[in-house]
Amino acid sequence: MSEPLPAGIRAPAPRPRDAVTLSALSLAFLKIAMASLGGGLSAWALRVIVEERRWLTEEEFLAAYTICRILPGPNQVNMAVYVGTHFRGLAGAAAALAGLTLVPLAIVLGLGVLYFGHRKTPGLQATMAGLVAAAAGMTLSVGVKLSLGYVRQPVALLLALAAFAGVAVMRWPLLLVLGVLGPVAIAWYWPRERDERAAGRAA
């Protein structure tokens, strides 16, 4: 397992689509599911997809992660569908979903029987509390890693703070916050990204 990249160091360029096979998609999401025992799926998805497999850049992962959080359904199921479809279409989505869900489902069913049969055991309660704490730490690490790339972008930071204030502090509906901040972000970044791409092609 590769070590996380230091702060401020971006992952290398992503691999071409034809290098990502159906079995690779299935195994990658199986690893994400199995490594995130107790939670922290998003953190492991970042580590496996960006840092280890180099299938997406940090920016692409952030965009996908944002879309997956906005859409209905579990975030990581959405991420599996997104990544699988991106590389291998519907077959890729099915392969990624199978890796994410089939083996963990069997394990969860077995653990569920064990837990409800021995849920009053003190050792089991302590273990579950530890897993929850570890999951919270892994989830926090995703936010920290993804935010490091935007520290030098005041507009992105301002938009993030505005979204946090609207949803977490003011308790406004998520759709309202997105409806206001989304067009602002698009109006600000779209022309700049287009100009950067044009400059890159000219070079």
mmCIF file with all atom_site columns, all heavy atoms in Angstrom, residues 3-4 7 50-52 56-57 59 62 108 112 123 131 166-167 180 194 203:
data_model
loop_
_atom_site.group_PDB
_atom_site.id
_atom_site.type_symbol
_atom_site.label_atom_id
_atom_site.label_alt_id
_atom_site.label_comp_id
_atom_site.label_asym_id
_atom_site.label_entity_id
_atom_site.label_seq_id
_atom_site.pdbx_PDB_ins_code
_atom_site.Cartn_x
_atom_site.Cartn_y
_atom_site.Cartn_z
_atom_site.occupancy
_atom_site.B_iso_or_equiv
_atom_site.pdbx_formal_charge
_atom_site.auth_seq_id
_atom_site.auth_comp_id
_atom_site.auth_asym_id
_atom_site.auth_atom_id
_atom_site.pdbx_PDB_model_num
ATOM 1   N N   . GLU A 1 3   ? 2.139   5.127  0.445   1.00 0.00 ? 3   GLU A N   1
ATOM 2   C CA  . GLU A 1 3   ? 1.941   6.118  1.489   1.00 0.00 ? 3   GLU A CA  1
ATOM 3   C C   . GLU A 1 3   ? 1.233   7.339  0.927   1.00 0.00 ? 3   GLU A C   1
ATOM 4   O O   . GLU A 1 3   ? 1.375   7.667  -0.261  1.00 0.00 ? 3   GLU A O   1
ATOM 5   C CB  . GLU A 1 3   ? 3.299   6.543  2.075   1.00 0.00 ? 3   GLU A CB  1
ATOM 6   C CG  . GLU A 1 3   ? 3.993   5.428  2.833   1.00 0.00 ? 3   GLU A CG  1
ATOM 7   C CD  . GLU A 1 3   ? 3.163   4.973  4.018   1.00 0.00 ? 3   GLU A CD  1
ATOM 8   O OE1 . GLU A 1 3   ? 2.574   5.828  4.690   1.00 0.00 ? 3   GLU A OE1 1
ATOM 9   O OE2 . GLU A 1 3   ? 3.085   3.759  4.257   1.00 0.00 ? 3   GLU A OE2 1
ATOM 10  N N   . PRO A 1 4   ? 0.448   8.064  1.745   1.00 0.00 ? 4   PRO A N   1
ATOM 11  C CA  . PRO A 1 4   ? -0.227  9.272  1.273   1.00 0.00 ? 4   PRO A CA  1
ATOM 12  C C   . PRO A 1 4   ? 0.771   10.305 0.795   1.00 0.00 ? 4   PRO A C   1
ATOM 13  O O   . PRO A 1 4   ? 1.897   10.378 1.296   1.00 0.00 ? 4   PRO A O   1
ATOM 14  C CB  . PRO A 1 4   ? -0.984  9.750  2.529   1.00 0.00 ? 4   PRO A CB  1
ATOM 15  C CG  . PRO A 1 4   ? -1.046  8.563  3.422   1.00 0.00 ? 4   PRO A CG  1
ATOM 16  C CD  . PRO A 1 4   ? 0.157   7.751  3.139   1.00 0.00 ? 4   PRO A CD  1
ATOM 17  N N   . ALA A 1 7   ? 1.440   17.041 1.933   1.00 0.00 ? 7   ALA A N   1
ATOM 18  C CA  . ALA A 1 7   ? 0.562   18.183 1.657   1.00 0.00 ? 7   ALA A CA  1
ATOM 19  C C   . ALA A 1 7   ? 1.169   19.042 0.563   1.00 0.00 ? 7   ALA A C   1
ATOM 20  O O   . ALA A 1 7   ? 2.365   19.331 0.557   1.00 0.00 ? 7   ALA A O   1
ATOM 21  C CB  . ALA A 1 7   ? 0.368   19.006 2.928   1.00 0.00 ? 7   ALA A CB  1
ATOM 22  N N   . VAL A 1 50  ? -7.099  7.860  -6.213  1.00 0.00 ? 50  VAL A N   1
ATOM 23  C CA  . VAL A 1 50  ? -6.201  8.952  -6.597  1.00 0.00 ? 50  VAL A CA  1
ATOM 24  C C   . VAL A 1 50  ? -4.739  8.606  -6.331  1.00 0.00 ? 50  VAL A C   1
ATOM 25  O O   . VAL A 1 50  ? -3.888  8.725  -7.215  1.00 0.00 ? 50  VAL A O   1
ATOM 26  C CB  . VAL A 1 50  ? -6.586  10.250 -5.856  1.00 0.00 ? 50  VAL A CB  1
ATOM 27  C CG1 . VAL A 1 50  ? -5.590  11.377 -6.178  1.00 0.00 ? 50  VAL A CG1 1
ATOM 28  C CG2 . VAL A 1 50  ? -7.999  10.675 -6.230  1.00 0.00 ? 50  VAL A CG2 1
ATOM 29  N N   . GLU A 1 51  ? -4.432  8.170  -5.110  1.00 0.00 ? 51  GLU A N   1
ATOM 30  C CA  . GLU A 1 51  ? -3.032  8.021  -4.723  1.00 0.00 ? 51  GLU A CA  1
ATOM 31  C C   . GLU A 1 51  ? -2.418  6.699  -5.168  1.00 0.00 ? 51  GLU A C   1
ATOM 32  O O   . GLU A 1 51  ? -1.255  6.673  -5.570  1.00 0.00 ? 51  GLU A O   1
ATOM 33  C CB  . GLU A 1 51  ? -2.905  8.182  -3.205  1.00 0.00 ? 51  GLU A CB  1
ATOM 34  C CG  . GLU A 1 51  ? -3.302  9.569  -2.720  1.00 0.00 ? 51  GLU A CG  1
ATOM 35  C CD  . GLU A 1 51  ? -3.296  9.669  -1.203  1.00 0.00 ? 51  GLU A CD  1
ATOM 36  O OE1 . GLU A 1 51  ? -2.937  8.674  -0.530  1.00 0.00 ? 51  GLU A OE1 1
ATOM 37  O OE2 . GLU A 1 51  ? -3.648  10.742 -0.680  1.00 0.00 ? 51  GLU A OE2 1
ATOM 38  N N   . GLU A 1 52  ? -3.187  5.623  -5.090  1.00 0.00 ? 52  GLU A N   1
ATOM 39  C CA  . GLU A 1 52  ? -2.629  4.322  -5.453  1.00 0.00 ? 52  GLU A CA  1
ATOM 40  C C   . GLU A 1 52  ? -2.822  3.998  -6.929  1.00 0.00 ? 52  GLU A C   1
ATOM 41  O O   . GLU A 1 52  ? -1.854  3.709  -7.636  1.00 0.00 ? 52  GLU A O   1
ATOM 42  C CB  . GLU A 1 52  ? -3.271  3.225  -4.598  1.00 0.00 ? 52  GLU A CB  1
ATOM 43  C CG  . GLU A 1 52  ? -2.899  3.318  -3.128  1.00 0.00 ? 52  GLU A CG  1
ATOM 44  C CD  . GLU A 1 52  ? -3.500  2.181  -2.322  1.00 0.00 ? 52  GLU A CD  1
ATOM 45  O OE1 . GLU A 1 52  ? -4.061  1.236  -2.925  1.00 0.00 ? 52  GLU A OE1 1
ATOM 46  O OE2 . GLU A 1 52  ? -3.407  2.224  -1.097  1.00 0.00 ? 52  GLU A OE2 1
ATOM 47  N N   . LEU A 1 56  ? -7.821  9.018  -11.205 1.00 0.00 ? 56  LEU A N   1
ATOM 48  C CA  . LEU A 1 56  ? -8.323  10.383 -11.266 1.00 0.00 ? 56  LEU A CA  1
ATOM 49  C C   . LEU A 1 56  ? -7.326  11.309 -10.583 1.00 0.00 ? 56  LEU A C   1
ATOM 50  O O   . LEU A 1 56  ? -6.590  10.881 -9.687  1.00 0.00 ? 56  LEU A O   1
ATOM 51  C CB  . LEU A 1 56  ? -9.680  10.504 -10.564 1.00 0.00 ? 56  LEU A CB  1
ATOM 52  C CG  . LEU A 1 56  ? -10.850 9.651  -11.068 1.00 0.00 ? 56  LEU A CG  1
ATOM 53  C CD1 . LEU A 1 56  ? -12.064 9.844  -10.161 1.00 0.00 ? 56  LEU A CD1 1
ATOM 54  C CD2 . LEU A 1 56  ? -11.202 9.993  -12.505 1.00 0.00 ? 56  LEU A CD2 1
ATOM 55  N N   . THR A 1 57  ? -7.329  12.570 -10.996 1.00 0.00 ? 57  THR A N   1
ATOM 56  C CA  . THR A 1 57  ? -6.569  13.573 -10.259 1.00 0.00 ? 57  THR A CA  1
ATOM 57  C C   . THR A 1 57  ? -7.375  14.001 -9.034  1.00 0.00 ? 57  THR A C   1
ATOM 58  O O   . THR A 1 57  ? -8.554  13.657 -8.897  1.00 0.00 ? 57  THR A O   1
ATOM 59  C CB  . THR A 1 57  ? -6.292  14.798 -11.135 1.00 0.00 ? 57  THR A CB  1
ATOM 60  O OG1 . THR A 1 57  ? -7.553  15.415 -11.492 1.00 0.00 ? 57  THR A OG1 1
ATOM 61  C CG2 . THR A 1 57  ? -5.548  14.405 -12.408 1.00 0.00 ? 57  THR A CG2 1
ATOM 62  N N   . GLU A 1 59  ? -8.451  16.953 -8.432  1.00 0.00 ? 59  GLU A N   1
ATOM 63  C CA  . GLU A 1 59  ? -9.529  17.823 -8.889  1.00 0.00 ? 59  GLU A CA  1
ATOM 64  C C   . GLU A 1 59  ? -10.693 17.011 -9.440  1.00 0.00 ? 59  GLU A C   1
ATOM 65  O O   . GLU A 1 59  ? -11.862 17.313 -9.165  1.00 0.00 ? 59  GLU A O   1
ATOM 66  C CB  . GLU A 1 59  ? -9.011  18.798 -9.954  1.00 0.00 ? 59  GLU A CB  1
ATOM 67  C CG  . GLU A 1 59  ? -8.073  19.870 -9.431  1.00 0.00 ? 59  GLU A CG  1
ATOM 68  C CD  . GLU A 1 59  ? -6.637  19.359 -9.277  1.00 0.00 ? 59  GLU A CD  1
ATOM 69  O OE1 . GLU A 1 59  ? -6.384  18.162 -9.614  1.00 0.00 ? 59  GLU A OE1 1
ATOM 70  O OE2 . GLU A 1 59  ? -5.790  20.129 -8.814  1.00 0.00 ? 59  GLU A OE2 1
ATOM 71  N N   . LEU A 1 62  ? -12.503 15.355 -6.557  1.00 0.00 ? 62  LEU A N   1
ATOM 72  C CA  . LEU A 1 62  ? -13.318 16.327 -5.830  1.00 0.00 ? 62  LEU A CA  1
ATOM 73  C C   . LEU A 1 62  ? -14.610 16.616 -6.585  1.00 0.00 ? 62  LEU A C   1
ATOM 74  O O   . LEU A 1 62  ? -15.691 16.692 -5.984  1.00 0.00 ? 62  LEU A O   1
ATOM 75  C CB  . LEU A 1 62  ? -12.535 17.625 -5.607  1.00 0.00 ? 62  LEU A CB  1
ATOM 76  C CG  . LEU A 1 62  ? -13.278 18.744 -4.883  1.00 0.00 ? 62  LEU A CG  1
ATOM 77  C CD1 . LEU A 1 62  ? -13.721 18.293 -3.495  1.00 0.00 ? 62  LEU A CD1 1
ATOM 78  C CD2 . LEU A 1 62  ? -12.422 19.994 -4.788  1.00 0.00 ? 62  LEU A CD2 1
ATOM 79  N N   . VAL A 1 108 ? -21.441 -8.304 6.320   1.00 0.00 ? 108 VAL A N   1
ATOM 80  C CA  . VAL A 1 108 ? -22.368 -7.557 7.176   1.00 0.00 ? 108 VAL A CA  1
ATOM 81  C C   . VAL A 1 108 ? -23.480 -8.459 7.688   1.00 0.00 ? 108 VAL A C   1
ATOM 82  O O   . VAL A 1 108 ? -23.881 -8.376 8.863   1.00 0.00 ? 108 VAL A O   1
ATOM 83  C CB  . VAL A 1 108 ? -22.949 -6.348 6.413   1.00 0.00 ? 108 VAL A CB  1
ATOM 84  C CG1 . VAL A 1 108 ? -24.139 -5.759 7.156   1.00 0.00 ? 108 VAL A CG1 1
ATOM 85  C CG2 . VAL A 1 108 ? -21.871 -5.293 6.215   1.00 0.00 ? 108 VAL A CG2 1
ATOM 86  N N   . GLY A 1 112 ? -23.994 -9.080 11.478  1.00 0.00 ? 112 GLY A N   1
ATOM 87  C CA  . GLY A 1 112 ? -25.280 -8.693 12.059  1.00 0.00 ? 112 GLY A CA  1
ATOM 88  C C   . GLY A 1 112 ? -25.842 -9.777 12.949  1.00 0.00 ? 112 GLY A C   1
ATOM 89  O O   . GLY A 1 112 ? -26.335 -9.513 14.055  1.00 0.00 ? 112 GLY A O   1
ATOM 90  N N   . GLY A 1 123 ? -16.917 -6.227 25.588  1.00 0.00 ? 123 GLY A N   1
ATOM 91  C CA  . GLY A 1 123 ? -15.835 -6.126 24.619  1.00 0.00 ? 123 GLY A CA  1
ATOM 92  C C   . GLY A 1 123 ? -16.315 -5.725 23.240  1.00 0.00 ? 123 GLY A C   1
ATOM 93  O O   . GLY A 1 123 ? -15.654 -4.956 22.539  1.00 0.00 ? 123 GLY A O   1
ATOM 94  N N   . LEU A 1 131 ? -14.275 1.642  16.450  1.00 0.00 ? 131 LEU A N   1
ATOM 95  C CA  . LEU A 1 131 ? -14.465 1.719  15.004  1.00 0.00 ? 131 LEU A CA  1
ATOM 96  C C   . LEU A 1 131 ? -15.132 3.024  14.594  1.00 0.00 ? 131 LEU A C   1
ATOM 97  O O   . LEU A 1 131 ? -14.788 3.618  13.573  1.00 0.00 ? 131 LEU A O   1
ATOM 98  C CB  . LEU A 1 131 ? -15.299 0.528  14.527  1.00 0.00 ? 131 LEU A CB  1
ATOM 99  C CG  . LEU A 1 131 ? -14.603 -0.842 14.574  1.00 0.00 ? 131 LEU A CG  1
ATOM 100 C CD1 . LEU A 1 131 ? -15.586 -1.939 14.192  1.00 0.00 ? 131 LEU A CD1 1
ATOM 101 C CD2 . LEU A 1 131 ? -13.396 -0.868 13.653  1.00 0.00 ? 131 LEU A CD2 1
ATOM 102 N N   . GLY A 1 166 ? -24.272 28.464 5.158   1.00 0.00 ? 166 GLY A N   1
ATOM 103 C CA  . GLY A 1 166 ? -25.669 28.330 4.766   1.00 0.00 ? 166 GLY A CA  1
ATOM 104 C C   . GLY A 1 166 ? -26.303 27.041 5.255   1.00 0.00 ? 166 GLY A C   1
ATOM 105 O O   . GLY A 1 166 ? -27.430 27.045 5.759   1.00 0.00 ? 166 GLY A O   1
ATOM 106 N N   . VAL A 1 167 ? -25.565 25.923 5.134   1.00 0.00 ? 167 VAL A N   1
ATOM 107 C CA  . VAL A 1 167 ? -26.133 24.619 5.484   1.00 0.00 ? 167 VAL A CA  1
ATOM 108 C C   . VAL A 1 167 ? -26.005 24.323 6.975   1.00 0.00 ? 167 VAL A C   1
ATOM 109 O O   . VAL A 1 167 ? -26.967 23.927 7.630   1.00 0.00 ? 167 VAL A O   1
ATOM 110 C CB  . VAL A 1 167 ? -25.460 23.499 4.658   1.00 0.00 ? 167 VAL A CB  1
ATOM 111 C CG1 . VAL A 1 167 ? -25.941 22.135 5.117   1.00 0.00 ? 167 VAL A CG1 1
ATOM 112 C CG2 . VAL A 1 167 ? -25.749 23.694 3.171   1.00 0.00 ? 167 VAL A CG2 1
ATOM 113 N N   . VAL A 1 180 ? -27.963 28.946 -5.275  1.00 0.00 ? 180 VAL A N   1
ATOM 114 C CA  . VAL A 1 180 ? -27.358 30.288 -5.233  1.00 0.00 ? 180 VAL A CA  1
ATOM 115 C C   . VAL A 1 180 ? -25.868 30.235 -5.560  1.00 0.00 ? 180 VAL A C   1
ATOM 116 O O   . VAL A 1 180 ? -25.366 30.978 -6.410  1.00 0.00 ? 180 VAL A O   1
ATOM 117 C CB  . VAL A 1 180 ? -27.591 30.928 -3.854  1.00 0.00 ? 180 VAL A CB  1
ATOM 118 C CG1 . VAL A 1 180 ? -26.830 32.252 -3.751  1.00 0.00 ? 180 VAL A CG1 1
ATOM 119 C CG2 . VAL A 1 180 ? -29.080 31.151 -3.614  1.00 0.00 ? 180 VAL A CG2 1
ATOM 120 N N   . ARG A 1 194 ? -11.626 27.694 -19.304 1.00 0.00 ? 194 ARG A N   1
ATOM 121 C CA  . ARG A 1 194 ? -11.614 27.691 -20.770 1.00 0.00 ? 194 ARG A CA  1
ATOM 122 C C   . ARG A 1 194 ? -10.368 28.409 -21.290 1.00 0.00 ? 194 ARG A C   1
ATOM 123 O O   . ARG A 1 194 ? -9.702  27.940 -22.215 1.00 0.00 ? 194 ARG A O   1
ATOM 124 C CB  . ARG A 1 194 ? -12.878 28.387 -21.287 1.00 0.00 ? 194 ARG A CB  1
ATOM 125 C CG  . ARG A 1 194 ? -12.992 28.432 -22.812 1.00 0.00 ? 194 ARG A CG  1
ATOM 126 C CD  . ARG A 1 194 ? -14.161 29.315 -23.187 1.00 0.00 ? 194 ARG A CD  1
ATOM 127 N NE  . ARG A 1 194 ? -14.003 30.655 -22.618 1.00 0.00 ? 194 ARG A NE  1
ATOM 128 C CZ  . ARG A 1 194 ? -15.013 31.508 -22.409 1.00 0.00 ? 194 ARG A CZ  1
ATOM 129 N NH1 . ARG A 1 194 ? -16.250 31.139 -22.712 1.00 0.00 ? 194 ARG A NH1 1
ATOM 130 N NH2 . ARG A 1 194 ? -14.786 32.700 -21.907 1.00 0.00 ? 194 ARG A NH2 1
ATOM 131 N N   . ALA A 1 203 ? 0.225   26.492 -26.377 1.00 0.00 ? 203 ALA A N   1
ATOM 132 C CA  . ALA A 1 203 ? 1.618   26.193 -26.023 1.00 0.00 ? 203 ALA A CA  1
ATOM 133 C C   . ALA A 1 203 ? 2.072   24.887 -26.670 1.00 0.00 ? 203 ALA A C   1
ATOM 134 O O   . ALA A 1 203 ? 3.215   24.718 -26.997 1.00 0.00 ? 203 ALA A O   1
ATOM 135 C CB  . ALA A 1 203 ? 1.763   26.116 -24.516 1.00 0.00 ? 203 ALA A CB  1
#
